[in-house]
Amino acid sequence: MMMVIYVFILLLAFVVPKSKLVSFCAILFMFTLYSFAYYEGDLQTYEWVYKDYGTGIKDSSFEPGFTFLIILCKNIGLSFTGFRIVLGIIYVSLLYLGVTSLTEYKALALSLSVIFPFFVFTSVMRSGIACVILLNSYKYIVNSEESKTLKIKYILGVGLATLFHYSSVIMLGVLFIPKSVDLVKTLKYIIITVLLTVLITQTNIVYTIVSMITSRGKTIQWFVDGEGTANFTGVFLILILLLVNFVINNRSLRIISNNDPSIENNNSFDLSVFCFRFSLFIFFIFPLMVLSSPFLRIIYMFMPVIISNGINAAYSMKKESKYNSSLTLQGLVVFGYAVFMILYYSYPYFSSEYYIFKELLATSFVIY
């Protein structure tokens, strides 16, 4: 039944992509699943930590921001379901605000975000909250007219997201991406990335440095060669993911550049440039993605931005008629990318991670 409802919302979103009513339906759908659905992932761990918090067991398992929410909800007597409802309200509210700051086609962007990364974030909740905080921070650096004040606001946003998932701190690196990247600079990026990959995967240098900064076992474990490290197939598939991401963002940038008549003063163009720069940035953190799976979530966290950018590109093609084949093709490309991401996430390309898409989809709709 829930699948039928979602398909209906998605089809409506393609027909009326700006609709506030369809946007509300998509948000309500996500809130219901986020707060009440059962999924065989990290949810059991969160429930265990929440119920046992205060006994000394797992009290330091999570980042300060998430721990604060646990303490707050426990002190006012909320059950774990009540805690999930609070997180659900935070997630969908910030997601809506973030998406509407990036595209006017909010109904379609929200509906496609259900496919990915929403399903994932019903399980990895800390990453989900960090994602929507970051989503509301990008607007400070997307605009071509950057200022120190806006950069400070972005840094504060990344800092807040880091309080919910430590991997978010990497997004500070976006500030250092050059505005234009020529062939020579690209080759330098590739050489540096290869050297870093060898250094990180063949030595304990990162583990040593992180151990000096924090004693939190969960974080230190990210940098230990073991369960989270990609095997040979994993390395290949990560490269495929990065290349697909690059192609999608490059396509959106070219479409907006060629079709938008007001490109000189246009938020859609600024966003497409930002997404293209992000595509280059994630190649630079490829070594960390190989070393530890949590860093792959940086791409997952950026997905609502990529979807919004792709939709902006689709509707920049709209000429005299309401729909045309080019618009429909780009819309399908964005839809296909979201499906590709959930299938990619479901594939067991890490040595101990086995996510089956069928199971993910089925168990996410069991409400208790």
Side-chain angles (χ1 to χ4, degrees):
M1 181 62 183
M2 295 297 286
M3 173 59 78
V4 174
I5 293 173
Y6 171 64
V7 171
F8 181 69
I9 292 173
L10 182 61
L11 291 175
L12 281 178
F14 271 102
V15 176
V16 281
K18 297 182 182 180
S19 171
K20 292 181 180 179
L21 178 59
V22 177
S23 298
F24 173 77
C25 290
I27 287 295
L28 182 61
F29 180 86
M30 284 188 275
F31 171 73
T32 302
L33 291 180
Y34 194 101
S35 302
F36 304 107
Y38 185 83
Y39 167 60
E40 298 270 345
D42 289 356
L43 194 60
Q44 290 83 0
T45 301
Y46 283 112
E47 184 175 11
W48 173 41
V49 172
Y50 183 81
K51 289 182 176 179
D52 288 343
Y53 193 86
T55 63
I57 302 174
K58 292 285 185 179
D59 280 5
S60 60
S61 294
F62 299 138
E63 290 82 351
F66 199 83
T67 300
F68 171 77
L69 289 181
I70 290 177
I71 295 172
L72 179 64
C73 292
K74 289 276 286 188
N75 286 342
I76 61 178
L78 293 182
S79 65
F80 180 65
T81 299
F83 174 62
R84 292 179 66 193
I85 290 172
V86 171
L87 291 180
I89 292 172
I90 294 172
Y91 179 85
V92 297
S93 298
L94 291 180
L95 177 65
Y96 179 82
L97 291 173
V99 166
T100 52
S101 71
L102 299 175
T103 180
E104 59 183 315
Y105 307 103
K106 51 188 177 293
L108 185 53
L110 290 168
S111 298
L112 287 174
S113 294
V114 171
I115 300 174
F116 196 89
F118 169 72
F119 278 127
V120 175
F121 290 152
T122 60
S123 175
V124 287
M125 293 178 170
R126 288 159 31 244
S127 295
I129 299 298
C131 165
V132 291
I133 293 173
L134 289 171
L135 185 62
N136 285 272
S137 304
Y138 297 133
K139 60 187 176 185
Y140 299 123
I141 57 172
V142 164
N143 197 292
S144 55
E145 297 179 3
E146 292 182 359
S147 67
K148 288 185 179 179
T149 302
L150 292 177
K151 286 183 178 180
I152 290 173
K153 288 182 178 180
Y154 175 73
I155 292 171
L156 291 174
V158 173
L160 181 59
T162 303
L163 293 178
F164 288 86
H165 203 283
Y166 287 136
S167 65
S168 304
V169 72
I170 289 182
M171 293 309 293
L172 288 175
V174 173
L175 292 171
F176 303 99
I177 306 174
K179 292 291 184 181
S180 59
V181 181
D182 56 27
L183 179 60
V184 175
K185 289 182 179 179
T186 303
L187 289 174
K188 287 181 180 178
Y189 271 122
I190 293 173
I191 293 172
I192 292 173
T193 300
V194 170
L195 292 176
L196 283 175
T197 302
V198 174
L199 179 66
I200 289 175
T201 57
Q202 301 302 318
T203 72
N204 291 324
I205 187 169
V206 176
Y207 171 81
T208 303
I209 294 173
V210 173
S211 299
M212 294 169 61
I213 298 173
T214 179
S215 59
R216 182 176 179 266
K218 181 70 175 178
T219 302
I220 294 174
Q221 198 174 36
W222 294 349
F223 301 94
V224 179
D225 184 15
E227 291 188 353
T229 304
N231 53 30
F232 178 79
T233 304
V235 173
F236 174 74
L237 289 175
I238 291 172
L239 283 174
I240 293 295
L241 175 60
L242 300 189
L243 288 172
V244 170
N245 185 274
F246 177 83
V247 170
I248 292 291
N249 287 317
N250 183 52
R251 174 185 168 84
S252 297
L253 175 59
R254 287 190 292 105
I255 290 172
I256 292 176
S257 300
N258 294 333
N259 290 277
D260 202 310
S262 56
I263 200 170
E264 293 294 328
N265 184 22
N266 188 285
N267 291 331
S268 295
F269 178 70
D270 288 342
L271 179 63
S272 65
V273 172
F274 177 66
C275 286
F276 180 74
R277 291 168 62 202
F278 174 80
S279 301
L280 299 175
F281 167 70
I282 58 174
F283 274 101
F284 194 65
I285 62 172
F286 170 75
L288 289 177
M289 293 178 178
V290 171
L291 181 65
S292 185
S293 58
F295 291 102
L296 266 175
R297 293 177 191 167
I298 294 299
I299 301 179
Y300 306 162
M301 291 179 181
F302 203 74
M303 269 297 292
V305 185
I306 299 172
I307 289 173
S308 298
N309 182 46
I311 293 170
N312 285 342
Y315 284 91
S316 72
M317 294 177 174
K318 190 163 62 173
K319 305 296 184 182
E320 297 179 0
S321 60
K322 188 174 183 180
Y323 294 102
N324 59 43
S325 58
S326 297
L327 184 154
T328 303
L329 176 61
Q330 175 63 8
L332 290 175
V333 166
V334 179
F335 171 75
Y337 183 57
V339 173
F340 166 79
M341 287 299 296
I342 191 65
L343 291 174
Y344 180 94
Y345 180 84
S346 306
Y347 190 83
Y349 51 88
F350 286 106
S351 54
S352 67
E353 292 191 358
Y354 294 90
Y355 294 100
I356 307 302
F357 178 55
K358 182 178 179 181
E359 179 185 355
L360 172 71
L361 202 57
T363 55
S364 289
F365 292 111
V366 179
I367 298 178
Y368 65 96

